[in-house]
Each structure stands twice: as C-alpha cells, then as structure tokens.
Amino acid sequence: MRVAAGNSDSGSTPTVVLVHGSGHTSRVWGEVQAQLRHRSVAVDLPGRTDRVADIAEVTIDAAAASLAADVDAVVDGPLVLVGHSAGGIVLPALAARLGDRVARLVFVAGLSAADGETVMRTVRPDAEADLAVRLLAMREEFAGCMLEPDLSIEGVRAIDARTAAPLDSLNYMEQTVSWDGVPPDLPRTFVRCLRDRIQPRALQAALIANCAASDVVDLESGHTPAVAVPNALAAVLDLISTPATSASLDTRR
C-alpha cells in the first residue's frame, strides 16, 4: 500500500483510492500519486506483495474486504474510488463496503459488468466455455502463486507479471458482479483511453453502459495511462475528484 499526502486541503476533500489492474501492484500508481494534488492511497489486491492469497483463486468479495480494511486503516472522510482495467471489477463490492463515504467511482479503462453478470460475457461471449476450461488449468498449474511476494512470506511461489496478468484477468472476469449496496445515483466516471488496443470502441461503449457511467472523459493514451501518461491521468483524477468542477465532465467524442 502506498499513501501520498498530495497538496489539497484535508477535511472535506476526498482521498483518491487507486486500485490497480491485472499483472500490477500498487507501485504502478507511483508517478500518478507524485502528481496528484489530492491525497491518495494506492492499494494492493490480494495475491501479491504482502497480501497473502492464491492469485488464481481470489474472489471479488475477498478482494473488496482486503482493500476496504486497508482504506479504513489509513483514511478518514470522503473517498473517490479509482479502478484500472480488472481493478474496476472490484469497485462495486468495495464501494458497498465503504458505504456513504464514497463520493464517486472512476473506471480507468475499467472492466465492469451489470448486476448479476460476468465481465467475460461482455468481453468474450464467444469463448466463455473455452476460457473457463483454460482458467481451471491455469489455477492448477499456478496454485499457491503470488506476484512479487514479500521475501518474508513462506510457502508461496512467485510468478512474473507477464504470467500473472492473464491469470488475474480471467479469475476476476469469470466471477459474477454484484452492485448490491451501491446507490444508483452514485456518480460514475469512465476514463476512455483513445489509443487502447485492448479495448476497441465497441467494447468501451459496452463497459460504459455496464457501469452506468454518468460521464466519460477521454484520454490520449494506451490501455495503462498510469504508465504511459501519468501526468495527464493525475490531472484528470484531480478534476474528477474536485466537486466544484466535476459537474460537467462528459468529454466523449
């Protein structure tokens, strides 16, 4: 977990909670946090660093519980929850746990599903059965594995990011998403990456609909803007997290 103070006043100013995507850890947000004016907390999903879990078996609920505990340990006051790619799948469950402290959800190229659906049904409806078989095989092959595990942890195997990324994604995408406990009027922003080779425009449109985004902000970036354009992403997140300027965010083209 990485905490950055930012330059904004405390109190009613929300803290930006950054949830990474598959194949990453909280370190991916480092350059973004360095530029954010708002206080921020970058959290690690289970199955990596010191969050002990089998990365192939982490459930959405377990991930949300772990992240909520991390946030509660270091943050008081309002929150803006940001999920990149597969991190977006966890946002509804995390928001439900954190309750009315959550001021907005932000999906940065975020994967999402409607209530009671899986992301797989949106992303690869033609290959659901085949990918389910593949995931079972990968779970067996990589049982007990973690990404960048802390060296003090015993009894786990380390896998590299290239191996972890598809395993991480498939694990979350095949689980049913619930929006229970998330107010229907909670503002939701989708940050659409215009140079994203993983998410073509039709898929982006489906994901925007799935998360019921109230606004869309375009960013000239590939799929991982935290790495490609951290300064631009930080500026977008600061804008989104400032209530006085977030009323008319929709910049879709």
Side-chain angles (χ1 to χ4, degrees), residues 184-207:
D185 59 348
L186 179 66
R188 305 164 197 182
T189 299
F190 191 94
V191 178
R192 183 171 59 180
C193 298
L194 299 178
R195 300 178 185 177
D196 197 331
R197 296 184 178 181
I198 295 176
Q199 293 180 2
R201 286 297 177 87
L203 176 55
Q204 290 172 336
L207 296 173

Side-chain angles (χ1 to χ4, degrees), residues 109-205:
L111 295 177
S112 60
D115 185 66
E117 298 286 344
T118 68
V119 171
M120 192 71 74
R121 188 159 296 175
T122 294
V123 175
R124 289 296 306 275
D126 59 322
E128 285 185 87
D130 290 342
L131 289 174
V133 172
R134 180 186 177 192
L135 177 59
L136 287 174
M138 293 177 74
R139 282 174 169 164
E140 182 176 350
E141 180 179 359
F142 298 107
C145 284
M146 290 179 60
L147 175 63
E148 298 184 17
D150 188 293
L151 295 178
S152 65
I153 299 173
E154 299 181 356
V156 300
R157 292 191 294 153
I159 53 173
D160 58 55
R162 186 172 184 178
T163 304
L167 178 57
D168 225 359
S169 288
L170 286 175
N171 176 52
Y172 285 111
M173 288 196 297
E174 65 92 33
Q175 297 182 50
T176 300
V177 172
S178 172
W179 286 83
D180 285 349
V182 182
D185 59 348
L186 179 66
R188 305 164 197 182
T189 299
F190 191 94
V191 178
R192 183 171 59 180
C193 298
L194 299 178
R195 300 178 185 177
D196 197 331
R197 296 184 178 181
I198 295 176
Q199 293 180 2
R201 286 297 177 87
L203 176 55
Q204 290 172 336

Side-chain angles (χ1 to χ4, degrees), residues 3-250:
V3 181
N7 300 311
S8 291
D9 294 333
S10 57
S12 61
T13 301
T15 297
V16 179
V17 177
L18 301 162
V19 183
H20 61 78
S22 62
H24 291 294
T25 70
S26 60
R27 291 193 299 112
V28 75
W29 296 107
E31 291 299 317
V32 174
Q33 288 185 282
Q35 298 299 322
L36 277 171
R37 296 193 312 272
H38 286 75
R39 183 174 191 244
S40 64
V41 177
V43 287
D44 284 294
L45 289 165
R48 64 208 77 217
T49 63
D50 60 349
R51 299 301 186 260
V52 180
D54 187 332
I55 198 170
E57 301 280 359
V58 179
T59 66
I60 292 173
D61 285 343
S66 176
L67 298 184
D70 285 345
V71 172
D72 283 336
V74 296
V75 182
D76 293 319
L79 306 165
V80 171
L81 306 185
V82 180
H84 170 246
S85 195
I89 300 173
V90 183
L91 285 196
L94 178 58
R97 285 181 174 272
L98 293 172
D100 59 8
R101 297 174 62 194
V102 180
R104 181 178 290 269
L105 303 182
V106 183
F107 295 81
V108 179
L111 295 177
S112 60
D115 185 66
E117 298 286 344
T118 68
V119 171
M120 192 71 74
R121 188 159 296 175
T122 294
V123 175
R124 289 296 306 275
D126 59 322
E128 285 185 87
D130 290 342
L131 289 174
V133 172
R134 180 186 177 192
L135 177 59
L136 287 174
M138 293 177 74
R139 282 174 169 164
E140 182 176 350
E141 180 179 359
F142 298 107
C145 284
M146 290 179 60
L147 175 63
E148 298 184 17
D150 188 293
L151 295 178
S152 65
I153 299 173
E154 299 181 356
V156 300
R157 292 191 294 153
I159 53 173
D160 58 55
R162 186 172 184 178
T163 304
L167 178 57
D168 225 359
S169 288
L170 286 175
N171 176 52
Y172 285 111
M173 288 196 297
E174 65 92 33
Q175 297 182 50
T176 300
V177 172
S178 172
W179 286 83
D180 285 349
V182 182
D185 59 348
L186 179 66
R188 305 164 197 182
T189 299
F190 191 94
V191 178
R192 183 171 59 180
C193 298
L194 299 178
R195 300 178 185 177
D196 197 331
R197 296 184 178 181
I198 295 176
Q199 293 180 2
R201 286 297 177 87
L203 176 55
Q204 290 172 336
L207 296 173
I208 289 166
N210 284 352
C211 69
S214 48
D215 43 68
V216 178
V217 176
D218 286 341
L219 195 59
E220 288 288 347
S221 174
H223 185 67
T224 310
V227 174
V229 289
N231 291 3
L233 179 57
V236 166
L237 295 179
D238 273 326
L239 176 66
I240 291 170
S241 303
T242 304
T245 60
S246 62
S248 57
L249 285 170
D250 199 321

